[in-house]
Amino acid sequence: TCGAKSGVRPFGGPSRQAEHLRPSPVGGWAGQAANGHWHRHVLQGERRGMRSEICLRRPCAGERHWEARRATMVQREGALHILVTNDDGVRSPGLLCLKQALEKVAKVTVFAPERNWSAAGHNRTMHKPLRVDEVSLADGSTAYASNGTPSDCVALALLGLVPERVDMVFSGINMGANLGQDITYSGTVAGAMEAAIYGLPAISISLCSFDPAADFRAAGRIAAALAETVFAEGLPKGVFLNVNVPALPLAALQGVQLTRLGRRVYKDVL
């Protein structure tokens, strides 16, 4: 969870990322595996507060070498290939923003549902044919769209419909937070979970807003920073990250805090 409150440690600069995120012998960043148990992450954090730093502020003139290194990483063949999916559908503005943000640090392939699958959960299609089509996104780039669920999209891609090796999977950017018991219903989280089952590092990311005019750019910057960090340091096998970003400008976000899964209180009525 990215926080704007004063108790969360502020972000460091991009040129200091590796310094802040070295492996910690006392345990650090934690993630929740599909079996519900907590595992220690290899990234450095503060054990008592479950805090960690991700580098997200805009590069200044003195950090041009960082931008150059990122450009080199993208240009180097096979450096990092990220698969992007979601549950809001292939035409979602959140998916487009995520794809464009990740393209600054990696090669990106989009494979997403052709329609909205919100609250689909970890659902796989068993008894009907699945179709896959090539479609054009709003920026003119090509994506794969399927009539299946987010989990289907990830499985189809990893089973061979995307011929290049996939190194990491992102699911999002979802419109609306995924907190507590939400994750059992979320198609966004299910996309990341499916990738974790296949043994790949995976991250689901959501914006805490249902505003149709919401700005996804801060969440996209966070996703790009996480991609670089996870690519460099890895994730424990079977662990994926579920990230929720407040609907605030990047400058208003003061840090990233790692938390245990909480509970959502709903009042259902017939």
Side-chain angles (χ1 to χ4, degrees), residues 175-211:
M175 183 174 289
N178 279 302
L179 304 167
Q181 289 99 322
D182 291 349
I183 69 166
T184 64
Y185 305 109
S186 169
T188 302
V189 175
M193 188 181 298
E194 186 72 15
I197 289 172
Y198 277 80
L200 291 179
I203 299 170
S204 58
I205 185 163
S206 304
L207 185 70
C208 301
S209 173
F210 289 100
D211 184 353

Side-chain angles (χ1 to χ4, degrees), residues 45-65:
E46 295 184 15
R47 188 176 182 83
R48 288 176 297 174
M50 298 292 290
R51 297 175 185 169
S52 185
E53 296 183 66
I54 301 294
C55 309
L56 295 172
R57 65 177 170 82
R58 293 179 178 85
C60 66
E63 293 162 342
R64 290 179 186 144
H65 67 283

Side-chain angles (χ1 to χ4, degrees), residues 125 128-132 146-149 152 156:
T125 301
K128 66 178 183 180
L130 289 173
R131 302 185 310 273
V132 178
S146 171
N147 62 325
T149 67
D152 287 328
L156 289 170

Side-chain angles (χ1 to χ4, degrees), residues 150-235:
S151 302
D152 287 328
C153 291
V154 172
L156 289 170
L158 299 182
L159 287 171
L161 285 185
V162 173
E164 300 89 355
R165 184 192 70 186
V166 173
D167 301 301
M168 189 183 304
V169 175
F170 269 80
S171 186
I173 301 167
N174 188 65
M175 183 174 289
N178 279 302
L179 304 167
Q181 289 99 322
D182 291 349
I183 69 166
T184 64
Y185 305 109
S186 169
T188 302
V189 175
M193 188 181 298
E194 186 72 15
I197 289 172
Y198 277 80
L200 291 179
I203 299 170
S204 58
I205 185 163
S206 304
L207 185 70
C208 301
S209 173
F210 289 100
D211 184 353
D215 188 347
F216 293 92
R217 287 178 295 178
R221 286 291 303 276
I222 291 165
L226 282 171
E228 291 183 310
T229 300
V230 172
F231 181 51
E233 305 289 351
L235 281 174

Side-chain angles (χ1 to χ4, degrees), residues 69-81 106-107 231:
R69 190 178 73 80
R70 291 202 305 183
T72 301
M73 183 169 71
V74 174
Q75 293 167 4
R76 191 170 69 245
E77 184 178 357
L80 175 60
H81 182 202
K107 176 183 178 181
F231 181 51

